[in-house]
Amino acid sequence: MRTIYILLLSSLFLSNSLFASTGITSQKNIAYIADGKASHQLDIYYPKNTSTKKDILVFIHGGSWKSGKKDSYSFFAKGFAKKNVVTIVINYRLSPEVLFDKMAEDAAAAIAWVQKNAEQYGGNPNRIFVAGHSAGGHLAALIATDRDYFENIGVTLPIKGAVLIDAFGLDMYQYFTEISPVSSSKFYPAFTSDPLNWQRGTPLNFTERTNVPFVGLVGERTYPGIILGTQRFKEKLKEENKEMQVYTMRKKKHVGMITQFFWTKNEAYKYCLDFMASIK
């Protein structure tokens, strides 16, 4: 885990230098829940020309549900903003302070704020996409499938499509019970040892409740649990006559699946943008 933060910090420094002269701007540390907590803040990166309404992409960072912060992913947001997408990176509460469901509630609240406020930044509130890497991919999938997270705050599911970047935990129950029943205890602070929570935290269990389209980007050399979980998620959607396109990124490991977005000519951008453009 230390490696990913060294790489992200290096990318952050370089991205601040390389993007300084581009036609994008940002607003940072905006409270999407007015409680004074940094965990309830977001940053918005957007093209300076706000006269036309653009697609919106909300990014949820990874970190095993226990670490990470929005500031480390400005390179991702700047990259998509440079490609004419209003991009938001969010903070959310982490374990052991809260369980996964509270994290998902935070993500839903952030997107609800975006839906109400993004027009002033040139965003189209009817075209909100969510993306997440690793544990963030799990949360993105969970709020895109389990409608309760939005319905509980009086919002109709606003997600137009979901981009899952090496998402961990799409079948969290299988991970706890079959793939890694011994080492999975390290995730108890986020999911507890109660199998009912493992089921509640499994996006695959709620696919019948959603019509949100998905695209998955998976590293060829990533963790086996991610490959298996993504495959099972795709198969479940297929059983319900829903499609999910999955792209395998050659030679990529788990960390490389997010740091690749530092290079704006990387093919991962094309997969994401083509997916967003295909949804009418």
Side-chain angles (χ1 to χ4, degrees):
M1 188 59 67
R2 182 180 180 184
T3 301
I4 189 171
Y5 289 117
I6 292 174
L7 288 170
L8 289 174
L9 286 172
S10 298
S11 297
L12 179 62
F13 173 79
L14 290 171
S15 70
N16 283 336
S17 300
L18 293 178
F19 284 98
S21 61
T22 62
I24 63 173
T25 188
S26 64
Q27 296 290 329
K28 298 182 179 180
N29 301 323
I30 300 172
Y32 63 85
I33 295 176
D35 60 2
K37 293 183 177 180
S39 56
H40 287 148
Q41 294 179 347
L42 55 79
D43 297 342
I44 301 179
Y45 296 80
Y46 56 101
K48 291 179 180 178
N49 180 359
T50 59
S51 60
T52 58
K53 301 308 176 188
K54 305 165 185 67
D55 283 354
I56 298 169
L57 183 63
V58 179
F59 178 74
I60 307 173
H61 70 75
S64 300
W65 299 277
K66 66 180 180 179
S67 62
K69 57 183 179 179
K70 59 180 175 55
D71 309 69
S72 301
Y73 297 88
S74 61
F75 68 94
F76 180 95
K78 291 175 181 178
F80 275 98
K82 187 178 179 183
K83 294 179 182 295
N84 210 37
V85 177
V86 176
T87 310
I88 294 95
V89 287
I90 71 169
N91 279 344
Y92 56 93
R93 289 172 292 174
L94 302 167
S95 68
E97 177 188 355
V98 297
L99 300 182
F100 72 91
D101 55 344
K102 297 301 180 184
M103 304 177 201
E105 288 177 10
D106 287 352
I111 291 175
W113 184 95
V114 169
Q115 186 182 41
K116 291 180 180 179
N117 295 278
E119 281 191 287
Q120 63 184 296
Y121 304 101
N124 184 344
N126 297 315
R127 290 187 60 80
I128 299 175
F129 296 82
V130 63
H133 171 248
S134 194
H138 163 266
L139 295 172
L142 191 60
I143 62 173
T145 53
D146 186 351
R147 290 175 174 269
D148 285 352
Y149 287 105
F150 286 104
E151 290 178 356
N152 288 344
I153 56 175
V155 175
T156 301
L157 183 64
I159 297 173
K160 196 75 174 176
V163 180
L164 309 182
I165 305 167
D166 229 40
F168 188 89
L170 297 180
D171 190 345
M172 205 66 207
Y173 184 81
Q174 183 196 42
Y175 183 81
F176 276 114
T177 58
E178 298 177 27
I179 297 177
S180 187
V182 176
S183 63
S184 61
S185 61
K186 63 186 176 183
F187 299 125
Y188 282 179
F191 291 88
T192 79
S193 59
D194 186 349
L196 289 177
N197 280 328
W198 308 346
Q199 292 282 20
R200 289 196 311 114
T202 292
L204 182 145
N205 290 342
F206 303 99
T207 54
E208 64 182 16
R209 299 194 65 199
T210 187
N211 289 314
V212 171
F214 291 88
V215 66
L217 278 59
V218 179
E220 183 180 40
R221 299 180 180 176
T222 192
Y223 300 114
I226 290 177
I227 295 173
L228 290 172
T230 302
Q231 180 180 354
R232 280 178 54 80
F233 192 73
K234 179 180 178 179
E235 289 173 352
K236 180 71 181 302
L237 289 169
K238 185 177 180 180
E239 291 172 5
E240 298 167 358
N241 296 314
K242 303 168 186 176
E243 293 188 6
M244 176 186 184
Q245 182 66 52
V246 175
Y247 297 97
T248 299
M249 311 298 289
R250 293 183 65 251
K251 299 182 180 181
K252 286 288 188 294
K253 296 182 179 180
H254 187 55
V255 175
M257 286 300 294
I258 188 61
T259 56
Q260 68 182 325
F261 285 95
F262 173 71
W263 293 275
T264 55
K265 293 184 179 180
N266 188 283
E267 62 182 345
Y269 277 101
K270 182 179 187 306
Y271 294 144
C272 296
L273 293 170
D274 284 353
F275 166 72
M276 293 166 66
S278 72
I279 300 172
K280 305 304 180 183

